[in-house]
Amino acid sequence: MDKGTREKAIEKIRKEILALKKSPLYKYRTKNKYIPVVGDGSLFAKMFFIGEAPGRKEAESGRPFQGSSGKLLNELLASAGIKREDVYITNIVNDRPPENRDPTPAEKKLYSPFLDRQIKIIQPKVIATLGRHSMEYIMTYFGLEDKLEPISTAHGKSFKIKSSYGEVDVVALYHPAVAIYNRNQKDTLITDFKIINKLVK
Ligand code: URA
């Protein structure tokens, strides 16, 4: 798929989400003049990161990981020698849940087909999940449900899977937000981020 085709496919997703009136988050979005957050970064990225859902800063700008979790994510990428513009970053849910509550199972189900389509457009070599929600979703999506563990033991582990476009490594990571006030978690994330860089080489 060339660049223009990828751009058009992502744009189509953006328009579909914009018109997603059946979403329980639609009214909250329009009332607050928020913007749906699709993905951000290189359409030819080898590394694909999946967070949970946009927060306020993300919904105001229409871009993922802009607030304090974004600052941490930038630090973690830099610590592993990865440039943010070289990766692709998205979320399972594309609209902000009120007061940053966890996305509901129904919301994850409604928005996850947009994530599946982004994976097929970008065709990454490594999919890194950030936090429990995207880990559970991606492991299940790729038939790894029997390997699911709590994130406290799953983090840093990688699994090879066969996708429709070839072999992919799936890596579970903590969500960067856990490291905002916890130095130990930050050290763990720094160690785990180095694994992703090795997998693409
Ligand atoms: N947390 C997420 O999971 N995603 C974002 O885009 C921002 C914060």
Side-chain angles (χ1 to χ4, degrees):
M1 238 195 275
D2 64 19
K3 189 157 182 265
T5 312
R6 289 181 190 218
E7 279 169 357
K8 273 197 201 121
I10 296 287
E11 198 42 42
K12 185 161 188 296
I13 293 175
R14 190 184 311 282
K15 287 198 177 132
E16 285 178 39
I17 299 172
L18 206 53
L20 199 64
K21 289 202 174 135
K22 65 179 174 191
S23 167
L25 303 173
Y26 180 85
K27 272 212 182 105
Y28 183 64
R29 183 221 295 163
T30 48
K31 192 178 99 201
N32 289 287
K33 299 198 167 51
Y34 288 152
I35 307 167
V37 179
V38 189
D40 192 30
S42 167
L43 299 184
F44 290 88
K46 292 192 177 121
M47 295 178 207
F48 190 107
F49 290 86
I50 311 168
E52 192 177 307
R56 188 171 54 79
K57 288 234 166 79
E58 289 77 18
E60 282 171 358
S61 63
R63 300 181 71 193
F65 284 93
Q66 297 297 303
S68 44
S69 315
K71 195 165 161 269
L72 252 154
L73 178 61
N74 292 345
E75 259 187 64
L76 292 162
L77 290 168
S79 74
I82 304 166
K83 290 198 188 116
R84 178 157 169 158
E85 64 265 32
D86 290 343
V87 307
Y88 187 85
I89 306 171
T90 188
N91 287 301
I92 310 194
V93 168
N94 305 92
D95 281 308
R96 181 187 182 204
E99 312 312 323
N100 297 345
R101 63 154 170 74
D102 279 2
T104 64
E107 288 160 2
K108 289 189 272 189
K109 190 160 182 251
L110 179 66
Y111 287 88
S112 58
F114 299 114
L115 170 62
D116 306 345
R117 280 162 63 188
Q118 288 171 84
I119 294 173
K120 288 189 178 133
I121 295 164
I122 312 290
Q123 306 190 354
K125 292 237 177 318
V126 177
I127 297 179
T129 59
L130 300 168
R132 177 174 64 84
H133 294 278
S134 55
M135 172 186 77
E136 285 172 2
Y137 177 73
I138 284 294
M139 301 263 304
T140 307
Y141 179 72
F142 287 118
L144 295 167
E145 41 297 55
D146 56 326
K147 303 255 179 351
L148 267 171
E149 294 174 55
I151 189 111
S152 54
T153 52
H155 74 87
K157 291 187 185 165
S158 66
F159 300 94
K160 272 204 190 316
I161 55 99
K162 285 227 180 321
S163 74
S164 56
Y165 59 87
E167 207 168 69
V168 177
D169 288 296
V170 170
V171 191
L173 303 170
Y174 278 121
H175 192 286
V178 301
I180 295 176
Y181 301 109
N182 187 324
R183 182 69 227 188
N184 286 345
Q185 303 268 48
K186 188 168 173 182
D187 289 342
T188 306
L189 268 162
I190 290 172
T191 306
D192 290 350
F193 263 66
K194 301 216 189 321
I195 300 169
I196 339 169
N197 215 3
K198 282 202 192 109
L199 287 169
V200 289
K201 291 200 170 128

